[in-house]
Amino acid sequence: CMVYKHSDSIVGVDIHPLKIFEDERGAVMHMLRKDHPCFTQFGEIYFSKVNAGFIKGWKRHTQMTQNFAIPFGQLKLIILDLRHGSKTESCYSELLVGMPNDYNLVTIPPNLWYAFYSATDDDVILANCSDLAHDPSESEQLPLDAFEVDALPNMVQG
């Protein structure tokens, strides 16, 4: 069984703090602009609801770059690097992303495996602005037990 090492970061994964403009009426939460350094082109944007107590993953895109932001809730994101020759090959990173203290844009380049789940007892909304439209032929999914990573709690796979 392969043992993966924890790393504070994974080569190619970028994290950028996002701005929130808030007052008594509500908030405007930035995500991504066309002049942001992580923006290359528009493919699609979608929102994924993550129910508390469930894990989504493992997933990998072979061509798509993803830009995640969590406007509602807190998400624990585990990224696993199995890219041959990468300086962080066989390493994984854990990120806490979302409200209230970690509202960041997380850019995930192709060929990294990831899984995520709610870090609290509440549901989470993930926004993804990818550089390609969804194409099932360029992504892969594996069951949670495909990789033994200590960062994944014992939860239901969703």
Side-chain angles (χ1 to χ4, degrees), residues 4 8 54 56-57 70 77 82 98 147 151 157:
Y4 303 103
D8 289 337
F54 288 83
K56 290 190 174 187
I70 313 303
L77 174 62
L82 298 182
F147 310 117
Q157 181 168 358

Side-chain angles (χ1 to χ4, degrees), residues 86-130:
S86 169
K87 289 182 180 179
T88 52
E89 183 178 1
S90 299
C91 292
Y92 71 92
S93 182
E94 298 174 73
L95 301 172
L96 185 62
V97 188
M99 301 300 291
N101 301 320
D102 300 293
Y103 187 57
N104 297 311
L105 182 71
V106 179
T107 301
I108 304 173
N111 292 310
L112 291 173
W113 289 97
Y114 63 87
F116 50 80
Y117 60 93
S118 174
T120 69
D121 292 332
D122 296 316
D123 297 344
V124 175
I125 299 293
L126 175 146
N128 180 19
C129 182
S130 63

Side-chain angles (χ1 to χ4, degrees), residues 41-44 63-65 129-135 138:
Q41 66 182 25
F42 178 76
E44 71 175 351
Q63 298 172 12
M64 180 188 294
T65 296
C129 182
S130 63
D131 65 347
L132 299 174
H134 178 71
D135 176 358
E138 71 81 41

Side-chain angles (χ1 to χ4, degrees), residues 64-77:
M64 180 188 294
T65 296
Q66 299 175 94
N67 292 288
F68 288 174
I70 313 303
F72 182 82
Q74 280 192 311
L75 189 84
K76 179 68 76 116
L77 174 62

